[in-house]
């Protein structure tokens, strides 16, 4: 099926559904995540892509969960249909809570911070207190409190006993101005009757079909479907540019080492720079 995001409308509401199974499975391997770490990272990246689906092309978005929990800071960053993410402690472990991975306990209680990097404008940053660290409810609360957007967000990551991500995805329903009470009642009933998104994905339901299930009894229109994927923006050139921003004292100290290593937190890539590279930066300064 592949990782896809679908956008649709239904009588006074916009709805977005997404499959991120491959993205989260690969990111989990990349970061060496525990079962719980995979769930936390998957929730964050999937939620970020759903929020980003509402912004214009060529605009970027960063969602940060700073809850002070054992997972540490959790960050997801989107650029169009691509996403990358990391958590400070990927091997986080907690006992199950009510038979489920304790995502809320891993994230903790603090703030969710969302920064939109708008084209030809200053970045916009909003935040609110975490609503228990469950990520889906945190995003729902953030959209209502900080952006005055009534919405319902559902996220899911299924990790098997061997630590392999078998399904990951979610949906996001946003009511529009003028949405009538009857539509709200139908949507609320449909959401309650809809199985977990991971169950639907495991049965082979794609994002478009999930939108259809959420819109039972309503007129549903699919407006757009496109692939989403993991992509990191790091490169040797970008790292060199970042090193160029360091002060002369720091660079002179680095120049004393035969090799300087730089690590990308988002994709775990390691870059190596020789003494000549650092001396070249100093010369340009």
């Amino acid at each position: 099926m592949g990782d896809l995001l679908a956008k649709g409308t239904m009588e006074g509401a916009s709805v977005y559904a997404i499959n991120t199974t491959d993205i989260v499975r690969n990111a989990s391997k990349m970061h060496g995540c525990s079962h719980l770490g995979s769930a936390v990272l998957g929730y964050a990246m999937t939620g970020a892509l759903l929020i980003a689906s509402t912004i214009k092309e060529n605009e970027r978005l960063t969602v940060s969960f700073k809850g002070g929990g054992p997972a540490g800071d959790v960050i997801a960053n989107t650029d169009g249909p691509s996403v990358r993410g990391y958590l400070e402690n990927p091997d986080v472990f907690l006992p199950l809570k009510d038979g489920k991975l304790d995502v809320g306990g891993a994230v903790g209680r603090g703030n969710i911070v969302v920064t939109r990097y708008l084209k030809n404008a200053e970045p916009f940053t909003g935040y609110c207190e975490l609503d228990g660290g469950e990520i889906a409810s945190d995003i729902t609360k953030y959209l209502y409190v900080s952006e005055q957007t009534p919405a319902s967000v559902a996220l899911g990551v299924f990790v098997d006993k061997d630590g392999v991500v078998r399904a990951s995805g979610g949906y996001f329903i946003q009511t529009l101005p003028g949405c009538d009470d009857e539509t709200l009642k139908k949507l609320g009933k449909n959401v309650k009757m809809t199985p977990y998104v991971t169950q639907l994905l495991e049965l082979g339901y794609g994002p478009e079909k999930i939108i259809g299930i959420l819109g039972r009894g309503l007129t549903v229109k699919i407006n757009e479907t496109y692939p989403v994927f993991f992509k990191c923006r790091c490169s040797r050139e970008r790292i060199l540019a970042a090193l160029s921003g360091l002060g002369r004292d720091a660079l002179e100290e680095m120049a004393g080492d035969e090799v300087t290593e730089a690590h990308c937190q988002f994709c775990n890539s390691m870059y190596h720079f020789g003494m000549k590279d650092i001396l070249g930066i100093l010369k340009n300064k």
Side-chain angles (χ1 to χ4, degrees):
M1 180 168 54
D3 288 350
L4 297 170
L5 188 149
K7 299 181 181 182
T9 53
M10 51 179 77
E11 299 180 26
S14 294
V15 59
Y16 310 81
I18 190 171
N19 175 16
T20 56
T21 303
D22 290 340
I23 289 173
V24 178
R25 181 184 297 139
N26 293 333
S28 172
K29 292 179 182 177
M30 192 182 299
H31 290 283
C33 291
S34 63
H35 293 63
L36 181 54
S38 295
V40 172
L41 184 60
Y43 275 45
M45 292 196 298
T46 303
L49 280 169
L50 285 171
I51 299 174
S53 67
T54 67
I55 63 180
K56 298 177 182 178
E57 293 183 13
N58 303 319
E59 293 181 356
R60 295 183 292 112
L61 179 103
T62 296
V63 183
S64 303
F65 298 88
K66 299 179 179 294
D73 287 354
V74 184
I75 297 176
N77 187 284
T78 70
D79 188 356
S82 71
V83 66
R84 60 180 185 169
Y86 77 90
L87 64 164
E88 286 187 307
N89 300 313
D91 58 352
V92 59
F93 173 81
L94 288 173
L96 296 178
K97 182 179 180 181
D98 299 325
K100 299 179 182 179
L101 294 169
D102 190 2
V103 172
V107 175
R109 293 184 175 274
N111 294 311
I112 175 176
V113 182
V114 178
T115 301
R116 298 176 183 262
Y117 298 91
L118 309 176
K119 189 176 181 182
N120 301 321
E122 290 294 321
F124 167 79
T125 297
Y127 73 95
C128 77
E129 292 183 357
L130 291 172
D131 187 24
E134 290 294 343
I135 295 186
S137 59
D138 295 329
I139 292 175
T140 300
K141 179 181 176 182
Y142 165 79
L143 290 168
Y144 184 75
V145 172
S146 187
E147 299 190 8
Q148 292 75 54
T149 301
S152 176
V153 178
L155 302 170
V157 176
F158 172 61
V159 187
D160 70 14
K161 61 183 179 62
D162 296 318
V164 178
V165 175
R166 295 299 181 188
S168 175
Y171 59 81
F172 166 28
I173 301 173
Q174 176 185 355
T175 56
L176 303 174
C179 182
D180 59 47
D181 291 340
E182 188 61 30
T183 297
L184 289 173
K185 289 179 182 178
K186 286 183 180 179
L187 281 173
K189 183 179 179 181
N190 289 350
V191 167
K192 288 181 180 179
M193 293 178 63
T194 300
Y196 291 127
V197 67
T198 49
Q199 293 176 321
L200 294 174
L201 291 170
E202 282 198 289
L203 289 171
Y205 285 58
E208 291 186 5
K209 199 164 184 179
I210 291 174
I211 290 176
I213 292 171
L214 293 168
R216 290 185 299 268
L218 299 168
T219 302
V220 177
K221 178 184 178 183
I222 303 297
N223 299 318
E224 183 182 9
T225 301
Y226 56 84
V228 289
F229 48 89
F230 184 99
K231 182 181 178 182
C232 191
R233 298 196 302 275
C234 75
S235 67
R236 184 176 177 83
E237 292 71 24
R238 283 178 178 268
I239 300 295
L240 274 173
L243 291 175
S244 299
L246 297 176
R248 175 171 287 275
D249 290 345
L251 288 168
E252 287 178 347
E253 185 177 346
M254 289 181 187
D257 299 325
E258 287 190 16
V259 177
T260 296
E261 292 184 340
H263 172 245
C264 175
Q265 292 175 299
F266 287 100
C267 67
N268 265 344
S269 294
M270 189 71 74
Y271 295 89
H272 299 88
F273 301 95
M275 191 182 296
K276 288 184 179 180
D277 296 315
I278 306 301
L279 289 173
I281 295 173
L282 278 167
K283 184 178 178 180
N284 289 332
K285 274 186 172 293

